[in-house]
Amino acid sequence: PNPPAAVNTTWTKVSGPGTVTFANAAAVDTTASFSVAGSYVLRLTASDSLLSDDDELMVTVNAGNPEQINPQLLGFVQGNMGTAQGVGISPDGQRLYVASQELGVVEFNIANPRTPTFTRTAHIFEPAEGVIVSPTLLMTGGATNGARLIPLATFATPQEIRVPLNYVAQDMVLSSTALGDKAITAAGSSGLKIATLNLSNPALPQVVSTATVLITSARGVAVSSDGQWAFVAAGTLANNGGLKIVSLTGVPAVVGSLLPASNANSGDI
C-alpha cells in the first residue's frame, strides 16, 4: 500500500427515496440525515489503494412528528377600519385589504408584516362583508348589498371605477384560467352567479356575459385551479341543499352533490 498501512473509508448511498447527508463520509463512526422517510441502503467502502472491501447497511427511516408551530400575536394593525368583516391579501403579499362594515374597503401596507401601516380607504357606501384580491382586481360585497369589482389601478382615487354586479354576495371567487376571467358569486337565494370578464384593460374591467345556476341557497363557493368546477355550499337538506358540484365548462350547471346526506351552511369553503 502507498502510503504503508493507510486505509481510507467512505460512506455512500446505494439506494433510497431521498438524499442522504453524512456528517463525515470519510469516518467509520459518523451520523447521517435523510431528506424523506423510507428504506435506504448505505455502503461503507475501505481501501488501502491495493485492496478494497465494502459492507452494506440497511436503514429504515420513519416519518417524524410534524413540526409543532406555536402561533403568536405579533401586533395590531393600526388605523381606523371600523368593524372588520373579512380580509384579503394581494398576490404579491404587500397589501392587506380589510372589508369594513362602516367604511367599505381599507388598504394597509404589509411589506413588513410586523408593522402594517394604513394606506387608504375606498368608500363603497355600503357595508363590505368580504373581499378577495387578484393581481389587477378587487371584489367586494355582502349579504345585504351588491357585489362590486374595483380595479386596483384606480383604488381609492377620485376617478375610481366600480363595476356593480347587482346581486348580493355571500361568498366570492375571482378565477383566471384558460376558461377566461370570471367573477363567481354565491348569491344566496339568487343562486350561483358567474360573470365572465374582459380584463384586457386592467383599469377598466368589463362584464362580457353573466350566467346563473339555480341553487336554492348558495352560501359559499370554491373553484378548482383549472376553473372547470365550482363547489357550492347550498344550505340545509330541507331546502334541497348540501354541497353542490357545478360544471363551469359550456353552459354552467349542477352535475351532482358531493355530500348528499349533509348540510352545508358554511359561508366559506
Side-chain angles (χ1 to χ4, degrees), residues 196-214:
T196 300
L197 308 176
N198 179 349
L199 300 180
S200 57
N201 181 353
L204 189 62
Q206 296 179 330
V207 177
V208 177
S209 62
T210 59
T212 300
V213 179
L214 297 178

Side-chain angles (χ1 to χ4, degrees), residues 10 18 20 22 44 47 63 71 83 87 96 104 111 135 155 165 204 210 216 222-223 225 231 234 252 256 266:
T10 305
V20 181
F22 297 96
L44 176 63
S47 173
T83 305
V87 295
L96 173 72
F155 182 88
L165 295 180
L204 189 62
T210 59
T216 303
V223 176
S225 59
F231 303 90
S266 173

Side-chain angles (χ1 to χ4, degrees), residues 11-23 31-42 59 61:
W11 282 99
T12 56
K13 169 192 162 185
V14 178
S15 64
T19 301
V20 181
T21 302
F22 297 96
T31 60
S33 59
F34 303 84
S35 60
V36 296
S39 296
Y40 294 80
V41 175
L42 308 181
V59 178
V61 180

